[in-house]
């Protein structure tokens, strides 16, 4: 059995200057923004150290090792064959979503977003000149395929898919994705699939890349992903845009040259090291840690938050917890921060369905999670 990866000690984490550890005072346990508290995979540290030592800090060239590294990773980890010529890079996933939306929609067109979902989706659509059309997930966190079909029939031209879904941790099934692709094809619509959490599926769960779900999916889909979530590289600015069809590849090729030019070279270097087979053991150790923490959260919710509802997520490191039974109103996060000194994400920022919810980042130590839930529980 794989030994779970251990988080860095709190005193070391408090020396970090990135958002998770630098936003709040030292008496706050930060369980909000999706950064993780583990040491980097050793191959990433080595690659970045070497780059710093030789001053390799320039612009990212158009072709580099990341495309081939991702192709090999996709084959090993997702059983997915990707054409390296159809992998392009940009600065981050959200930028990729926005630029692809610009490529597939005309100003004023409607784009389906499926809340509860990663809040920047609501902003990415207007940033691209389009209009958000909400088709919420079902009560069990699945895509509402009849609702999506109705929205496409009424004129929506694209959809932002979150697979796996943040914040519910839903890993959409191959059948669902294939059906979604059939619907999109029928209406001439595009599906842009954010797959950033894909490497972090729970033991025993299979992630299906949207483009690999069916021939229709390959024809209508664009995937955007990055090593930034699983390997904690968000500050290094590098994401991948992947297509599987001549027409969609041409759409990406027509994006302004600056879209690719903005790729961070440290992000690309770190991504190459992350996707290398040498980092698989680290990834498996991280997944073993997250598997433990997913279960631990269930125990902590039962112990400290009676009546709260938490479904163990199939992927990622975010716990979506319905605390409405505790009578803390629509948005308990500010009260939890103020009184328990624990920073969690406000449920309503993920859409209306997030009222009475909090999102808790569990990519940290068991010790900090225990302390955080004890503090929140003391408010009950
Ligand atoms: C679903 C999803 N997409 C994108 C991002 C952000 O990615 P990036 O920093 O590459 O834009 C996150 C970060 O948490 C996320 O959860």
């Amino acid at each position: 059995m794989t030994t779970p990866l251990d988080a860095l000690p709190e005193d070391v984490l408090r020396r970090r200057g990135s958002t998770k550890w630098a936003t709040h005072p030292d008496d706050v346990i930060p369980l909000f923004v999706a950064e993780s508290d583990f040491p980097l995979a050793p191959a990433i540290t080595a690659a970045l150290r070497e780059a710093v030592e030789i001053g390799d800090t320039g612009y990212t060239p158009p072709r580099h090792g990341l495309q081939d590294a991702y192709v090999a990773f996709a084959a090993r980890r997702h059983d997915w064959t990707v054409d390296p010529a159809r992998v392009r890079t940009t600065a981050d996933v959200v930028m990729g979503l926005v630029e692809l939306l610009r490529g597939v929609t005309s100003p004023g067109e409607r784009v389906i977003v499926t809340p509860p979902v990663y809040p920047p989706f609501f902003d990415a659509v207007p940033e691209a000149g389009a209009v958000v059309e909400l088709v919420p997930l079902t009560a069990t966190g699945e895509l509402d395929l009849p609702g999506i079909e109705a929205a496409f029939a009424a004129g929506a031209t694209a959809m932002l898919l979150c697979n796996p879904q943040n914040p519910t941790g839903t890993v959409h099934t191959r059948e669902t994705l294939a059906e979604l692709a059939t619907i999109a094809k029928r209406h001439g619509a595009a599906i842009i699939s954010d797959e950033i959490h894909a490497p972090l599926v729970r033991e025993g769960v299979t992630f299906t890349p949207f483009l690999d779900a069916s021939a229709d999916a390959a024809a209508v889909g664009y995937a955007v992903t990055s090593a930034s979530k699983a390997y904690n590289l968000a500050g290094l600015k590098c994401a991948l845009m992947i297509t599987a069809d001549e027409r969609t590849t041409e759409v990406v090729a027509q994006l302004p040259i600056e879209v690719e030019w903005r790729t961070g070279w440290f992000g690309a270097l770190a991504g190459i090291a992350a996707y290398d087979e040498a980092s698989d053991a680290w990834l498996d150790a991280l997944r073993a840690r997250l598997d433990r923490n997913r279960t631990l959260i269930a125990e902590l919710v039962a112990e400290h938050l009676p009546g709260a509802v938490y479904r163990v997520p199939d992927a990622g490191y975010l716990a979506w917890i319905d605390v409405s039974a505790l009578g803390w109103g629509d948005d308990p996060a500010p009260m939890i921060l103020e009184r328990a000194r624990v920073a969690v994400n406000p449920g309503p920022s993920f859409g209306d369905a997030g009222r009475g919810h909090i999102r808790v980042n569990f990519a940290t130590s068991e010790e900090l999670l225990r302390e955080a839930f004890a503090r929140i529980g003391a408010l009950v």
Side-chain angles (χ1 to χ4, degrees):
M1 218 185 93
T2 311
T3 308
L5 191 63
D6 282 329
L8 290 164
E10 186 177 343
D11 61 322
V12 174
L13 293 166
R14 292 220 179 261
R15 282 168 35 211
R16 285 187 176 176
S18 61
T19 300
K20 187 172 192 261
W21 284 93
T23 299
H24 297 288
D26 280 1
D27 63 332
V28 171
I29 299 177
L31 304 181
F32 68 117
V33 66
E35 296 178 17
S36 55
D37 292 347
F38 306 100
L40 290 178
I44 296 177
T45 308
L48 294 177
R49 186 169 283 148
E50 161 75 1
V52 169
E53 272 169 12
I54 63 169
D56 189 9
T57 50
Y59 291 114
T60 306
R63 298 305 296 179
H64 40 74
L66 186 58
Q67 291 89 354
D68 288 336
Y70 185 74
V71 166
F73 178 86
R76 276 195 328 275
R77 307 293 300 202
H78 304 319
D79 196 19
W80 178 28
T81 305
V82 175
D83 178 349
R86 290 177 168 169
V87 180
R88 306 293 292 266
T89 63
T90 189
D92 57 42
V93 166
V94 175
M95 179 173 285
L97 300 178
V98 172
E99 296 302 336
L100 288 169
L101 280 172
R102 282 194 227 278
V104 302
T105 62
S106 299
E109 285 184 354
R110 294 203 303 285
V111 174
I112 298 173
V113 172
T114 62
V117 78
Y118 179 57
F121 276 29
F122 302 115
D123 298 327
V125 173
E127 187 178 341
V131 176
V132 170
E133 170 102 21
L134 298 178
V135 181
L137 298 181
T138 65
T140 50
E142 315 291 324
L143 294 173
D144 171 9
L145 293 174
I148 289 167
E149 168 115 55
F152 281 141
T157 55
M159 170 171 154
L160 286 184
L161 172 68
C162 196
N163 180 39
Q165 185 97 12
N166 168 5
T168 59
T170 311
V171 176
H172 302 296
T173 64
R174 181 175 294 276
E175 294 68 33
T176 299
L177 296 174
E179 179 65 25
L180 173 65
T182 305
I183 293 169
K185 182 108 188 289
R186 189 149 60 225
H187 296 281
I191 304 288
I192 301 173
S193 183
D194 174 340
E195 306 190 341
I196 197 169
H197 294 278
L200 300 180
V201 284
R202 184 153 72 87
E203 182 69 37
V205 173
T206 302
F207 164 74
T208 304
F210 178 73
L211 300 181
D212 196 40
S214 67
D216 284 349
V220 303
Y222 301 80
V224 189
T225 193
S226 173
S228 66
K229 207 54 39 188
Y231 301 87
N232 199 39
L233 305 172
L236 304 187
K237 293 293 165 193
C238 177
L240 304 162
M241 299 178 290
I242 305 162
T243 45
D245 166 277
E246 209 138 306
R247 189 186 57 82
T248 51
T249 303
E250 189 51 28
V251 169
V252 179
Q254 292 303 319
L255 296 178
I257 183 103
E258 286 76 16
V259 172
E260 194 148 30
W261 199 240
R262 288 177 191 135
T263 305
W265 180 227
F266 270 26
L269 283 172
I272 293 166
Y275 291 136
D276 193 280
E277 205 163 351
S279 292
D280 280 4
W282 180 95
L283 180 61
D284 288 332
L286 170 65
R287 290 174 61 233
R289 163 61 52 207
L290 299 182
D291 275 350
R292 282 211 185 174
N293 286 0
R294 282 186 194 98
T295 316
L296 173 67
I297 301 270
E299 291 163 23
L300 295 174
V301 167
E303 185 181 346
H304 296 289
L305 304 175
V309 182
Y310 160 72
R311 195 179 299 120
V312 175
D314 277 341
Y317 52 72
L318 306 164
W320 184 234
I321 308 175
D322 178 356
V323 293
S324 46
L326 301 173
W328 290 341
D330 283 349
D331 186 10
M335 185 276 290
I336 290 171
L337 174 60
E338 193 187 311
R339 295 182 42 205
R341 310 305 284 158
V342 179
V344 298
N345 286 92
S349 65
F350 297 82
D352 257 8
R355 276 183 291 178
H357 286 66
I358 54 174
R359 194 195 73 173
V360 177
N361 174 346
F362 60 79
T364 190
S365 66
E366 183 172 326
E367 195 185 347
L368 282 178
L369 291 174
R370 285 188 187 281
E371 168 69 14
F373 276 83
R375 288 195 201 176
I376 300 171
L379 305 175
V380 174

